[in-house]
């Protein structure tokens, strides 16, 4: 099995139905599921090369560590956006990486809220869910944002991105883990 076939299978299991091989490869790279064979680019992914057994083990381990969740592959084709082709997350996706040293990196892509500033409320673990702090982020022209915060003192975080007064996106992540969520509104 070659590495492009693996990219198509993983993208399908991730709820995408890309018709272009390069789009499936970009999905893996953009989501952090792969860093490529020689570089984190479509060329560096080396799609025509066979996947070795050792690479398959590392690949599966990486999927687990990066918060990969199984979804149904849609019947209709998934069109990669210009944002994805330039290294962004798929639309309506949020990714939280909370390292063991309690540094949070939160990324998201919400095109409907492009070029807007919105609060991100950071709360501690359930059931108390006590407020820790609020940070402001401004999205770019594609609706991308990225927030990095160090020295958070909680074993788990509940994160709320308030896109409107009456609507928030929520994601929860434990220290030492990655969480990824796709959203609809």
């Amino acid at each position: 099995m070659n590495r492009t076939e693996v990219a198509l299978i993983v993208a399908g299991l991730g709820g995408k139905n890309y018709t272009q091989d390069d789009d499936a490869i970009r999905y893996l790279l953009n989501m952090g599921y792969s860093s490529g064979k020689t570089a984190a680019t479509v060329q560096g992914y080396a799609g025509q090369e066979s996947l070795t057994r050792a690479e398959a083990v590392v690949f599966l381990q990486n999927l687990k560590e990066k918060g990969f969740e199984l979804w149904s592959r849609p019947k209709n084709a998934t069109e990669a956006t210009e944002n994805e082709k330039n290294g962004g997350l798929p639309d309506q996706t949020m990714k939280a990486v909370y390292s063991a040293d309690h540094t949070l990196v939160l990324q998201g892509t919400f095109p409907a809220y492009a070029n807007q500033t919105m609060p991100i409320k950071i709360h501690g673990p359930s059931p108390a869910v006590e407020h820790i702090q609020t940070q402001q982020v401004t999205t770019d022209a594609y609706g991308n944002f990225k927030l990095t915060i160090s020295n958070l003192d909680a074993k788990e975080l509940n994160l709320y991105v308030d896109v409107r007064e009456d609507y928030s996106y929520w994601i929860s992540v434990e220290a030492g883990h990655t969480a990824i969520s796709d959203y609809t509104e």
Side-chain angles (χ1 to χ4, degrees), residues 42-163:
V42 172
Q43 298 287 30
Y45 181 80
Q48 296 309 312
E49 292 185 21
S50 293
L51 187 74
T52 67
R53 284 186 216 158
E55 288 173 332
V57 169
V58 170
F59 199 86
L60 291 171
Q61 206 169 18
N62 195 34
L63 289 173
K64 181 181 178 197
E65 289 172 5
K66 299 291 184 175
F68 183 78
E69 291 184 18
L70 294 175
W71 294 93
S72 297
R73 182 178 184 189
K75 291 180 182 180
N76 296 330
T78 303
E79 294 296 324
T81 65
E82 201 59 36
N83 183 47
E84 287 179 89
K85 291 177 182 179
N86 289 306
L89 296 173
D91 290 353
Q92 304 297 110
T93 300
M94 197 160 39
K95 177 180 176 182
V97 179
Y98 190 33
S99 64
D101 73 356
H102 292 229
T103 298
L104 170 69
V105 178
L106 180 66
Q107 293 176 260
T109 301
F110 298 102
Y113 304 102
N115 298 312
Q116 293 184 24
T117 300
M118 58 189 83
I120 297 178
K121 296 176 183 167
I122 303 166
H123 293 262
S126 299
V129 193
E130 294 180 17
H131 182 260
I132 296 172
Q133 64 179 275
T134 299
Q135 295 285 326
Q136 299 288 323
V137 295
T138 302
T139 59
D140 66 12
Y142 292 114
N144 296 308
F145 71 85
K146 185 174 183 178
L147 174 68
T148 302
I149 303 172
S150 299
N151 302 317
L152 292 166
D153 189 26
K155 64 180 182 175
E156 178 186 340
L157 298 173
N158 285 287
L159 309 162
Y160 303 87
V161 179
D162 292 344
V163 294

Side-chain angles (χ1 to χ4, degrees), residues 3 25-46 58-59 62 66:
R3 295 171 59 87
I25 292 168
R26 279 190 205 94
Y27 171 76
L28 296 186
L29 298 171
N30 295 350
M31 296 297 286
Y33 298 144
S34 175
S35 56
K37 188 160 186 164
T38 61
T41 63
V42 172
Q43 298 287 30
Y45 181 80
V58 170
F59 199 86
N62 195 34
K66 299 291 184 175

